[in-house]
Amino acid sequence: MATCSADTEIRIWEKVKDKKDFALKSRFVGHKKWVWDCEFSLDSKYLISCSSDKSIRVWSLEQSKQLSNLTNPKGVNHIALVDDESD
């Protein structure tokens, strides 16, 4: 599970085995303002986030680091991913 918030951080949580609780697994820091949304890639290898700092960031979940930083001059407040695989 991933959460994002006004504190500019994204937190990755994992379920505690045999319990109903979640434990903090990692944190992604890099946005300068409120993080509005985040979305896991279809293969669960990446997390994409957007912020009121007008950036879209791609994070590697395997390496726990930022891979890229895109900007949009008007800001971004939501992300949607599309599976472009056609059968």
Side-chain angles (χ1 to χ4, degrees), residues 35-87:
V35 182
W36 289 108
D37 194 14
C38 60
E39 187 83 28
F40 289 102
S41 64
L42 296 173
D43 60 7
S44 297
K45 291 183 180 182
Y46 307 99
L47 186 76
I48 297 88
S49 60
C50 64
S51 167
S52 57
D53 67 6
K54 301 179 183 177
S55 71
I56 303 163
R57 296 176 190 247
V58 179
W59 310 86
S60 167
L61 293 170
E62 293 173 343
Q63 299 172 352
S64 293
K65 70 176 190 176
Q66 180 181 306
L67 299 178
S68 66
N69 180 10
L70 310 164
T71 58
N72 182 324
K74 298 205 182 232
V76 182
N77 62 12
H78 185 70
I79 295 172
L81 300 178
V82 177
D83 181 1
D84 66 356
E85 297 286 325
S86 53
D87 294 322

Short mmCIF file of all heavy atoms in Angstrom, two decimals, residues 35-87:
data_model
loop_
_atom_site.label_atom_id
_atom_site.label_comp_id
_atom_site.label_asym_id
_atom_site.label_seq_id
_atom_site.Cartn_x
_atom_site.Cartn_y
_atom_site.Cartn_z
N VAL A 35 1.90 16.08 -2.05
CA VAL A 35 1.80 14.99 -3.02
C VAL A 35 0.33 14.62 -3.13
O VAL A 35 -0.28 14.18 -2.17
CB VAL A 35 2.65 13.76 -2.60
CG1 VAL A 35 2.56 12.68 -3.66
CG2 VAL A 35 4.10 14.16 -2.36
N TRP A 36 -0.24 14.83 -4.32
CA TRP A 36 -1.67 14.66 -4.52
C TRP A 36 -2.08 13.22 -4.79
O TRP A 36 -3.14 12.77 -4.39
CB TRP A 36 -2.14 15.53 -5.68
CG TRP A 36 -2.14 16.98 -5.39
CD1 TRP A 36 -1.26 17.90 -5.89
CD2 TRP A 36 -3.00 17.70 -4.51
NE1 TRP A 36 -1.54 19.14 -5.38
CE2 TRP A 36 -2.62 19.05 -4.53
CE3 TRP A 36 -4.08 17.33 -3.71
CZ2 TRP A 36 -3.26 20.03 -3.80
CZ3 TRP A 36 -4.71 18.30 -2.97
CH2 TRP A 36 -4.31 19.63 -3.02
N ASP A 37 -1.24 12.48 -5.53
CA ASP A 37 -1.66 11.15 -5.95
C ASP A 37 -0.43 10.30 -6.22
O ASP A 37 0.66 10.81 -6.51
CB ASP A 37 -2.50 11.26 -7.23
CG ASP A 37 -3.27 9.99 -7.58
OD1 ASP A 37 -3.37 9.10 -6.72
OD2 ASP A 37 -3.76 9.90 -8.71
N CYS A 38 -0.60 8.99 -6.12
CA CYS A 38 0.44 8.05 -6.51
C CYS A 38 -0.23 6.77 -7.01
O CYS A 38 -1.35 6.46 -6.61
CB CYS A 38 1.41 7.76 -5.38
SG CYS A 38 0.71 7.05 -3.89
N GLU A 39 0.45 6.09 -7.91
CA GLU A 39 -0.13 4.92 -8.57
C GLU A 39 0.96 3.89 -8.82
O GLU A 39 2.06 4.24 -9.28
CB GLU A 39 -0.75 5.37 -9.89
CG GLU A 39 -1.53 4.34 -10.62
CD GLU A 39 -2.96 4.22 -10.11
OE1 GLU A 39 -3.52 5.20 -9.61
OE2 GLU A 39 -3.50 3.10 -10.23
N PHE A 40 0.67 2.63 -8.52
CA PHE A 40 1.61 1.56 -8.83
C PHE A 40 1.53 1.21 -10.31
O PHE A 40 0.45 1.22 -10.90
CB PHE A 40 1.27 0.29 -8.02
CG PHE A 40 1.57 0.41 -6.56
CD1 PHE A 40 0.55 0.64 -5.65
CD2 PHE A 40 2.87 0.28 -6.09
CE1 PHE A 40 0.81 0.74 -4.30
CE2 PHE A 40 3.14 0.38 -4.73
CZ PHE A 40 2.11 0.61 -3.84
N SER A 41 2.68 0.89 -10.91
CA SER A 41 2.68 0.41 -12.29
C SER A 41 2.03 -0.97 -12.32
O SER A 41 1.91 -1.64 -11.30
CB SER A 41 4.10 0.34 -12.84
OG SER A 41 4.87 -0.60 -12.12
N LEU A 42 1.61 -1.39 -13.50
CA LEU A 42 0.92 -2.68 -13.63
C LEU A 42 1.77 -3.85 -13.19
O LEU A 42 1.26 -4.85 -12.69
CB LEU A 42 0.44 -2.87 -15.07
CG LEU A 42 -0.60 -1.84 -15.52
CD1 LEU A 42 -0.89 -2.00 -17.01
CD2 LEU A 42 -1.86 -1.95 -14.71
N ASP A 43 3.10 -3.75 -13.34
CA ASP A 43 3.99 -4.83 -12.93
C ASP A 43 4.47 -4.66 -11.49
O ASP A 43 5.27 -5.45 -11.00
CB ASP A 43 5.18 -4.95 -13.88
CG ASP A 43 6.02 -3.68 -13.94
OD1 ASP A 43 5.77 -2.73 -13.15
OD2 ASP A 43 6.92 -3.61 -14.80
N SER A 44 4.01 -3.63 -10.80
CA SER A 44 4.35 -3.34 -9.40
C SER A 44 5.84 -3.10 -9.18
O SER A 44 6.34 -3.24 -8.06
CB SER A 44 3.86 -4.45 -8.47
OG SER A 44 2.46 -4.53 -8.53
N LYS A 45 6.56 -2.69 -10.21
CA LYS A 45 7.98 -2.38 -10.07
C LYS A 45 8.22 -0.90 -9.82
O LYS A 45 9.27 -0.51 -9.34
CB LYS A 45 8.75 -2.81 -11.32
CG LYS A 45 8.83 -4.30 -11.49
CD LYS A 45 9.66 -4.65 -12.71
CE LYS A 45 9.74 -6.16 -12.88
NZ LYS A 45 10.58 -6.52 -14.04
N TYR A 46 7.22 -0.07 -10.16
CA TYR A 46 7.39 1.37 -10.07
C TYR A 46 6.20 2.01 -9.38
O TYR A 46 5.11 1.46 -9.36
CB TYR A 46 7.52 1.98 -11.48
CG TYR A 46 8.60 1.31 -12.29
CD1 TYR A 46 8.28 0.33 -13.23
CD2 TYR A 46 9.94 1.63 -12.11
CE1 TYR A 46 9.27 -0.31 -13.96
CE2 TYR A 46 10.93 1.00 -12.84
CZ TYR A 46 10.58 0.04 -13.76
OH TYR A 46 11.56 -0.60 -14.47
N LEU A 47 6.45 3.20 -8.84
CA LEU A 47 5.40 4.03 -8.29
C LEU A 47 5.53 5.38 -8.97
O LEU A 47 6.62 5.93 -9.07
CB LEU A 47 5.56 4.18 -6.77
CG LEU A 47 4.44 4.91 -6.07
CD1 LEU A 47 3.22 4.00 -5.95
CD2 LEU A 47 4.86 5.38 -4.71
N ILE A 48 4.43 5.90 -9.46
CA ILE A 48 4.41 7.20 -10.12
C ILE A 48 3.63 8.14 -9.21
O ILE A 48 2.55 7.79 -8.72
CB ILE A 48 3.78 7.11 -11.53
CG1 ILE A 48 4.59 6.20 -12.44
CG2 ILE A 48 3.70 8.49 -12.16
CD1 ILE A 48 4.21 4.78 -12.38
N SER A 49 4.17 9.33 -8.98
CA SER A 49 3.53 10.28 -8.07
C SER A 49 3.41 11.64 -8.74
O SER A 49 4.18 11.98 -9.64
CB SER A 49 4.32 10.40 -6.77
OG SER A 49 5.64 10.85 -7.02
N CYS A 50 2.46 12.44 -8.26
CA CYS A 50 2.32 13.81 -8.75
C CYS A 50 2.09 14.73 -7.56
O CYS A 50 1.57 14.32 -6.53
CB CYS A 50 1.21 13.92 -9.78
SG CYS A 50 -0.43 13.56 -9.16
N SER A 51 2.49 15.99 -7.75
CA SER A 51 2.49 16.93 -6.65
C SER A 51 2.09 18.32 -7.11
O SER A 51 2.17 18.65 -8.30
CB SER A 51 3.91 16.96 -6.06
OG SER A 51 4.08 18.04 -5.18
N SER A 52 1.71 19.16 -6.15
CA SER A 52 1.42 20.55 -6.46
C SER A 52 2.70 21.33 -6.76
O SER A 52 2.65 22.50 -7.12
CB SER A 52 0.64 21.21 -5.32
OG SER A 52 1.33 21.11 -4.11
N ASP A 53 3.86 20.68 -6.66
CA ASP A 53 5.12 21.32 -7.09
C ASP A 53 5.31 21.21 -8.60
O ASP A 53 6.37 21.53 -9.13
CB ASP A 53 6.32 20.74 -6.34
CG ASP A 53 6.62 19.28 -6.68
OD1 ASP A 53 5.99 18.70 -7.58
OD2 ASP A 53 7.51 18.71 -6.02
N LYS A 54 4.26 20.76 -9.31
CA LYS A 54 4.22 20.66 -10.77
C LYS A 54 5.09 19.53 -11.33
O LYS A 54 5.49 19.55 -12.48
CB LYS A 54 4.59 21.99 -11.43
CG LYS A 54 3.68 23.13 -11.03
CD LYS A 54 4.10 24.42 -11.68
CE LYS A 54 3.19 25.54 -11.18
NZ LYS A 54 3.58 26.82 -11.72
N SER A 55 5.38 18.55 -10.50
CA SER A 55 6.22 17.44 -10.96
C SER A 55 5.49 16.11 -10.92
O SER A 55 4.57 15.90 -10.13
CB SER A 55 7.51 17.35 -10.13
OG SER A 55 7.24 16.88 -8.83
N ILE A 56 5.94 15.24 -11.81
CA ILE A 56 5.52 13.83 -11.85
C ILE A 56 6.81 13.05 -11.69
O ILE A 56 7.77 13.24 -12.45
CB ILE A 56 4.86 13.47 -13.20
CG1 ILE A 56 3.66 14.39 -13.46
CG2 ILE A 56 4.47 12.00 -13.23
CD1 ILE A 56 3.22 14.37 -14.90
N ARG A 57 6.87 12.21 -10.69
CA ARG A 57 8.10 11.46 -10.42
C ARG A 57 7.85 9.97 -10.56
O ARG A 57 6.79 9.47 -10.19
CB ARG A 57 8.63 11.80 -9.03
CG ARG A 57 9.02 13.28 -8.97
CD ARG A 57 9.47 13.68 -7.59
NE ARG A 57 9.61 15.12 -7.53
CZ ARG A 57 10.75 15.77 -7.37
NH1 ARG A 57 11.88 15.08 -7.26
NH2 ARG A 57 10.78 17.07 -7.33
N VAL A 58 8.85 9.28 -11.07
CA VAL A 58 8.81 7.83 -11.20
C VAL A 58 9.82 7.26 -10.23
O VAL A 58 11.00 7.65 -10.24
CB VAL A 58 9.13 7.38 -12.65
CG1 VAL A 58 9.10 5.86 -12.76
CG2 VAL A 58 8.16 8.02 -13.64
N TRP A 59 9.36 6.34 -9.40
CA TRP A 59 10.19 5.75 -8.35
C TRP A 59 10.33 4.25 -8.60
O TRP A 59 9.37 3.58 -8.96
CB TRP A 59 9.54 5.94 -6.98
CG TRP A 59 9.12 7.34 -6.68
CD1 TRP A 59 7.93 7.93 -7.02
CD2 TRP A 59 9.86 8.33 -5.98
NE1 TRP A 59 7.89 9.22 -6.57
CE2 TRP A 59 9.07 9.50 -5.93
CE3 TRP A 59 11.12 8.35 -5.40
CZ2 TRP A 59 9.49 10.68 -5.32
CZ3 TRP A 59 11.55 9.52 -4.78
CH2 TRP A 59 10.75 10.66 -4.74
N SER A 60 11.52 3.72 -8.35
CA SER A 60 11.74 2.28 -8.43
C SER A 60 11.44 1.68 -7.06
O SER A 60 12.07 2.07 -6.06
CB SER A 60 13.19 1.97 -8.82
OG SER A 60 13.46 0.61 -8.60
N LEU A 61 10.52 0.75 -7.01
CA LEU A 61 10.22 0.10 -5.73
C LEU A 61 11.31 -0.90 -5.37
O LEU A 61 11.60 -1.10 -4.19
CB LEU A 61 8.86 -0.59 -5.81
CG LEU A 61 7.67 0.36 -5.94
CD1 LEU A 61 6.40 -0.39 -6.25
CD2 LEU A 61 7.52 1.20 -4.69
N GLU A 62 11.95 -1.49 -6.36
CA GLU A 62 13.02 -2.46 -6.10
C GLU A 62 14.27 -1.77 -5.56
O GLU A 62 14.95 -2.28 -4.68
CB GLU A 62 13.36 -3.23 -7.37
CG GLU A 62 12.25 -4.15 -7.83
CD GLU A 62 12.53 -4.79 -9.19
OE1 GLU A 62 13.41 -4.30 -9.93
OE2 GLU A 62 11.85 -5.78 -9.50
N GLN A 63 14.60 -0.60 -6.11
CA GLN A 63 15.81 0.12 -5.71
C GLN A 63 15.55 1.19 -4.66
O GLN A 63 16.49 1.80 -4.14
CB GLN A 63 16.45 0.77 -6.93
CG GLN A 63 16.86 -0.22 -7.99
CD GLN A 63 17.30 0.47 -9.27
OE1 GLN A 63 17.17 1.67 -9.45
NE2 GLN A 63 17.84 -0.31 -10.20
N SER A 64 14.28 1.45 -4.36
CA SER A 64 13.88 2.48 -3.39
C SER A 64 14.50 3.84 -3.73
O SER A 64 15.06 4.51 -2.85
CB SER A 64 14.23 2.07 -1.97
OG SER A 64 13.46 0.97 -1.59
N LYS A 65 14.41 4.23 -5.02
CA LYS A 65 14.96 5.53 -5.40
C LYS A 65 14.16 6.12 -6.56
O LYS A 65 13.45 5.42 -7.27
CB LYS A 65 16.43 5.43 -5.77
CG LYS A 65 16.71 4.70 -7.06
CD LYS A 65 18.19 4.74 -7.38
CE LYS A 65 18.46 4.24 -8.78
NZ LYS A 65 19.86 4.36 -9.13
N GLN A 66 14.34 7.43 -6.74
CA GLN A 66 13.68 8.13 -7.83
C GLN A 66 14.42 7.86 -9.14
O GLN A 66 15.65 7.93 -9.19
CB GLN A 66 13.68 9.63 -7.54
CG GLN A 66 13.01 10.46 -8.61
CD GLN A 66 13.07 11.92 -8.31
OE1 GLN A 66 12.64 12.34 -7.24
NE2 GLN A 66 13.57 12.72 -9.24
N LEU A 67 13.68 7.57 -10.20
CA LEU A 67 14.26 7.31 -11.51
C LEU A 67 14.13 8.51 -12.44
O LEU A 67 15.02 8.74 -13.26
CB LEU A 67 13.61 6.09 -12.15
CG LEU A 67 13.76 4.77 -11.40
CD1 LEU A 67 13.02 3.67 -12.13
CD2 LEU A 67 15.23 4.42 -11.23
N SER A 68 13.02 9.23 -12.38
CA SER A 68 12.86 10.39 -13.25
C SER A 68 11.94 11.43 -12.63
O SER A 68 11.19 11.13 -11.70
CB SER A 68 12.33 9.96 -14.62
OG SER A 68 11.03 9.47 -14.53
N ASN A 69 12.06 12.64 -13.16
CA ASN A 69 11.28 13.77 -12.67
C ASN A 69 10.80 14.55 -13.89
O ASN A 69 11.58 15.16 -14.59
CB ASN A 69 12.14 14.64 -11.76
CG ASN A 69 11.40 15.84 -11.22
OD1 ASN A 69 10.19 15.95 -11.35
ND2 ASN A 69 12.14 16.74 -10.62
N LEU A 70 9.51 14.51 -14.15
CA LEU A 70 8.89 15.23 -15.26
C LEU A 70 8.19 16.45 -14.70
O LEU A 70 7.74 16.44 -13.54
CB LEU A 70 7.88 14.34 -15.97
CG LEU A 70 8.37 12.95 -16.37
CD1 LEU A 70 7.19 12.05 -16.70
CD2 LEU A 70 9.32 13.04 -17.53
N THR A 71 8.04 17.50 -15.48
CA THR A 71 7.34 18.67 -14.99
C THR A 71 6.19 19.04 -15.93
O THR A 71 6.22 18.75 -17.12
CB THR A 71 8.27 19.90 -14.86
OG1 THR A 71 8.86 20.17 -16.13
CG2 THR A 71 9.34 19.65 -13.83
N ASN A 72 5.18 19.64 -15.33
CA ASN A 72 4.02 20.14 -16.07
C ASN A 72 3.80 21.56 -15.58
O ASN A 72 3.57 21.77 -14.39
CB ASN A 72 2.80 19.27 -15.80
CG ASN A 72 1.59 19.71 -16.57
OD1 ASN A 72 1.36 20.89 -16.77
ND2 ASN A 72 0.79 18.74 -16.98
N PRO A 73 3.86 22.55 -16.45
CA PRO A 73 3.78 23.95 -15.99
C PRO A 73 2.49 24.33 -15.27
O PRO A 73 2.46 25.28 -14.51
CB PRO A 73 3.93 24.76 -17.29
CG PRO A 73 3.68 23.81 -18.39
CD PRO A 73 3.99 22.43 -17.89
N LYS A 74 1.42 23.57 -15.46
CA LYS A 74 0.16 23.88 -14.79
C LYS A 74 -0.07 23.05 -13.54
O LYS A 74 -1.08 23.20 -12.88
CB LYS A 74 -0.99 23.70 -15.77
CG LYS A 74 -0.88 24.63 -16.95
CD LYS A 74 -2.21 24.89 -17.55
CE LYS A 74 -2.02 25.77 -18.74
NZ LYS A 74 -2.81 26.93 -18.75
N GLY A 75 0.82 22.12 -13.23
CA GLY A 75 0.63 21.26 -12.07
C GLY A 75 -0.15 20.00 -12.42
O GLY A 75 -0.78 19.92 -13.47
N VAL A 76 -0.08 19.04 -11.55
CA VAL A 76 -0.73 17.75 -11.75
C VAL A 76 -1.37 17.33 -10.44
O VAL A 76 -0.73 17.41 -9.39
CB VAL A 76 0.28 16.66 -12.18
CG1 VAL A 76 -0.40 15.34 -12.44
CG2 VAL A 76 1.06 17.10 -13.41
N ASN A 77 -2.63 16.88 -10.48
CA ASN A 77 -3.25 16.44 -9.23
C ASN A 77 -3.82 15.03 -9.30
O ASN A 77 -4.43 14.57 -8.34
CB ASN A 77 -4.33 17.43 -8.78
CG ASN A 77 -5.45 17.55 -9.77
OD1 ASN A 77 -5.57 16.76 -10.70
ND2 ASN A 77 -6.28 18.55 -9.59
N HIS A 78 -3.61 14.32 -10.42
CA HIS A 78 -4.09 12.95 -10.50
C HIS A 78 -3.31 12.19 -11.56
O HIS A 78 -2.84 12.78 -12.53
CB HIS A 78 -5.59 12.92 -10.85
CG HIS A 78 -6.17 11.55 -10.84
ND1 HIS A 78 -6.36 10.83 -9.68
CD2 HIS A 78 -6.56 10.75 -11.84
CE1 HIS A 78 -6.86 9.65 -9.99
NE2 HIS A 78 -6.99 9.57 -11.30
N ILE A 79 -3.18 10.89 -11.35
CA ILE A 79 -2.46 10.03 -12.29
C ILE A 79 -3.36 8.85 -12.64
O ILE A 79 -4.03 8.30 -11.77
CB ILE A 79 -1.17 9.49 -11.66
CG1 ILE A 79 -0.19 10.61 -11.40
CG2 ILE A 79 -0.53 8.42 -12.52
CD1 ILE A 79 1.00 10.19 -10.60
N ALA A 80 -3.32 8.45 -13.90
CA ALA A 80 -4.01 7.23 -14.34
C ALA A 80 -3.07 6.51 -15.29
O ALA A 80 -2.50 7.12 -16.19
CB ALA A 80 -5.32 7.56 -15.03
N LEU A 81 -2.90 5.23 -15.09
CA LEU A 81 -2.04 4.43 -15.95
C LEU A 81 -2.90 3.56 -16.86
O LEU A 81 -3.95 3.09 -16.45
CB LEU A 81 -1.12 3.54 -15.11
CG LEU A 81 -0.18 4.29 -14.16
CD1 LEU A 81 0.64 3.31 -13.36
CD2 LEU A 81 0.71 5.25 -14.91
N VAL A 82 -2.42 3.34 -18.06
CA VAL A 82 -3.15 2.56 -19.04
C VAL A 82 -2.31 1.38 -19.47
O VAL A 82 -1.11 1.53 -19.76
CB VAL A 82 -3.50 3.41 -20.28
CG1 VAL A 82 -4.19 2.59 -21.34
CG2 VAL A 82 -4.34 4.60 -19.87
N ASP A 83 -2.91 0.21 -19.51
CA ASP A 83 -2.23 -0.98 -20.00
C ASP A 83 -2.33 -0.96 -21.52
O ASP A 83 -3.40 -1.11 -22.08
CB ASP A 83 -2.91 -2.24 -19.43
CG ASP A 83 -2.25 -3.52 -19.88
OD1 ASP A 83 -1.25 -3.46 -20.62
OD2 ASP A 83 -2.74 -4.58 -19.47
N ASP A 84 -1.20 -0.77 -22.20
CA ASP A 84 -1.23 -0.69 -23.65
C ASP A 84 -0.99 -2.03 -24.33
O ASP A 84 -0.81 -2.11 -25.54
CB ASP A 84 -0.25 0.35 -24.17
CG ASP A 84 1.20 -0.02 -23.91
OD1 ASP A 84 1.46 -1.04 -23.26
OD2 ASP A 84 2.08 0.72 -24.36
N GLU A 85 -0.98 -3.09 -23.55
CA GLU A 85 -0.85 -4.43 -24.11
C GLU A 85 -2.17 -4.80 -24.78
O GLU A 85 -3.22 -4.72 -24.16
CB GLU A 85 -0.53 -5.46 -23.02
CG GLU A 85 0.79 -5.22 -22.31
CD GLU A 85 1.98 -5.60 -23.18
OE1 GLU A 85 1.87 -6.58 -23.94
OE2 GLU A 85 2.99 -4.89 -23.08
N SER A 86 -2.12 -5.22 -26.02
CA SER A 86 -3.35 -5.66 -26.67
C SER A 86 -3.24 -7.14 -27.01
O SER A 86 -2.20 -7.63 -27.43
CB SER A 86 -3.61 -4.85 -27.93
OG SER A 86 -2.49 -4.87 -28.77
N ASP A 87 -4.31 -7.85 -26.80
CA ASP A 87 -4.32 -9.30 -27.04
C ASP A 87 -4.90 -9.61 -28.39
O ASP A 87 -5.67 -8.97 -28.96
CB ASP A 87 -5.15 -10.01 -25.96
CG ASP A 87 -4.48 -9.87 -24.60
OD1 ASP A 87 -3.25 -9.91 -24.53
OD2 ASP A 87 -5.21 -9.70 -23.61
#
